[in-house]
Amino acid sequence: MASPKAGDGDPLLNPPDPASNRGNGGVRRVPWASLIGFVALAINFALCIYRAEGDRGAIAFVTFAYLNLLLLFWCIRQFDQAPHGSAARGRIRVAVWILATSLTAVFTWKVAALMPLPVAAVAWIMAAATVVGGFYGFFIHEDK
């Protein structure tokens, strides 16, 4: 019985080829979980706009959050597909951090407005810790 080579069958050591996502003669498989998630996100966005009843601030907030999430998901996909060590991966890393930071800030701003000042301060401190931790993980610690 031959022993397997190191990393055989391990998706972390031997990641699948992006083309292997295609089956049946090169046709791409549909990522059903992602598709269902995006449809649910779009339905939620439409319901939020409907329930805003013309409140421009609420519509702007929901639209910003929806578009930010779509861009964030797209950038994360591009980040995963970019070759390690490439300049594109570095640029996408910056975009992912900026999008995540802006989403954190806008949700904290919305939630903190409903809270008493001491609790709002704690919410902002937690948001800042999240942003700083994300920066550390993405840019300082990297792939160590």
Side-chain angles (χ1 to χ4, degrees):
M1 176 188 239
S3 64
K5 289 188 270 179
D8 278 353
D10 186 349
L12 294 176
L13 298 176
N14 289 329
D17 181 24
S20 69
N21 191 22
R22 300 168 191 231
N24 302 334
V27 177
R28 281 195 141 198
R29 292 182 297 172
V30 176
W32 289 107
S34 296
L35 186 62
I36 290 169
F38 284 119
V39 168
L41 186 63
I43 290 170
N44 188 35
F45 172 67
L47 289 172
C48 287
I49 296 295
Y50 175 76
R51 291 188 64 195
E53 297 175 348
D55 180 3
R56 289 183 181 172
I59 292 171
F61 171 77
V62 169
T63 302
F64 174 81
Y66 177 72
L67 294 176
N68 190 313
L69 276 172
L70 289 180
L71 277 171
L72 183 59
F73 291 144
W74 181 80
C75 285
I76 289 172
R77 179 172 171 83
Q78 297 304 311
F79 181 79
D80 286 341
Q81 292 177 344
H84 288 279
S86 69
R89 191 172 173 96
R91 287 189 304 271
I92 296 168
R93 180 179 296 171
V94 171
V96 166
W97 183 76
I98 288 170
L99 289 167
T101 297
S102 64
L103 202 56
T104 300
V106 76
F107 277 110
T108 304
W109 169 69
K110 196 72 165 171
V111 168
L114 304 173
M115 299 178 175
L117 186 59
V119 180
V122 170
W124 279 108
I125 290 169
M126 290 172 57
T130 301
V131 168
V132 170
F135 182 85
Y136 175 80
F138 252 12
F139 301 108
I140 308 298
H141 188 65
E142 292 189 37
D143 295 326
K144 294 178 186 173

